[in-house]
Amino acid sequence: MDGDATAVFTEFATARTPALIRVAYLLTGDQHAAEDLVQSALAKTYARWGSLRHRDPEGYVRTVMYREQVSWWRRLGRIRESVMPTPADVTVPDPSTHTDLRVTMRAALRLLSPAQRTVVVLRYYEDLTETQVADILGCSVGTVRSRTSRAVSRLREVLPAAELVLETTP
């Protein structure tokens, strides 16, 4: 890839990484896993950046992210990574002012299965249609509908439990 394409990719990745990490966090329920997921998706996108003919590069990265997340939770054994003494990451402040709602939803999403969490994030956070979600996840529209229905039912059950967890957390 030439220098101009690398510069364009670097600019894109720098500008969109905070938003991608927020979505990845909703998918994984863990900040470090979210960062790993975004890093993996950006690395795969970078490898194809020169030949990418996608109108929306962020949409392409998000599709890679969703598929990578599905692959991660399908794997039986995960390879653990070693912790570095000093992280090289740059933190980005969270612009949200609704901390209580964010914490409650995070607790509720953590109680869902990975498949249910993925469908909820794609349908309601990303505002994708059932057909788009089915294409991204490589499943049928019926599967998306049933997972969505079960996830919403589960959220209705666990939201009071999530609030109890918040009340007892110091």
Side-chain angles (χ1 to χ4, degrees):
M1 192 164 39
D2 65 1
D4 291 337
T6 300
V8 170
F9 176 81
T10 302
E11 183 180 323
F12 165 77
T14 303
R16 298 310 304 154
T17 294
L20 293 170
I21 288 177
R22 284 191 295 273
V23 172
Y25 182 82
L26 292 172
L27 290 170
T28 63
D30 178 71
Q31 183 67 28
H32 300 291
E35 292 168 358
D36 290 345
L37 181 60
V38 171
Q39 180 180 1
S40 176
L42 287 174
K44 288 183 177 189
T45 303
Y46 178 77
R48 296 192 36 110
W49 190 259
S51 63
L52 189 67
R53 299 194 193 284
H54 204 273
R55 289 187 301 163
D56 178 19
E58 185 170 352
Y60 181 84
V61 172
R62 288 177 185 238
T63 299
V64 171
M65 262 177 29
Y66 302 135
R67 290 186 176 168
E68 187 72 13
Q69 176 64 12
V70 168
S71 295
W72 282 0
W73 48 262
R74 283 185 178 163
R75 289 184 196 132
L76 293 177
R78 286 173 112 171
I79 300 171
R80 293 287 175 195
E81 297 175 354
S82 50
V83 178
M84 301 294 291
T86 52
D89 298 333
V90 177
T91 58
V92 178
D94 184 7
S96 176
T97 58
H98 303 290
T99 304
D100 55 342
L101 176 61
R102 187 178 70 237
V103 171
T104 301
M105 285 307 298
R106 179 179 62 190
L109 285 171
R110 281 182 157 184
L111 296 174
L112 295 177
S113 71
Q116 290 174 335
R117 186 179 322 128
T118 301
V119 170
V120 167
V121 169
L122 291 173
R123 286 285 290 132
Y124 299 110
Y125 185 78
E126 291 291 315
D127 198 27
L128 298 178
T129 66
E130 292 170 338
T131 305
Q132 290 171 319
V133 173
D135 288 343
I136 289 171
L137 297 179
C139 63
S140 70
V141 173
T143 301
V144 171
R145 286 180 183 153
S146 66
R147 284 184 185 168
T148 303
S149 175
R150 289 183 188 125
V152 169
S153 295
R154 179 79 175 129
L155 282 174
R156 286 185 180 128
E157 292 172 11
V158 300
L159 275 174
E163 290 173 5
L164 289 176
V165 169
L166 290 174
E167 291 172 7
T168 60
T169 304

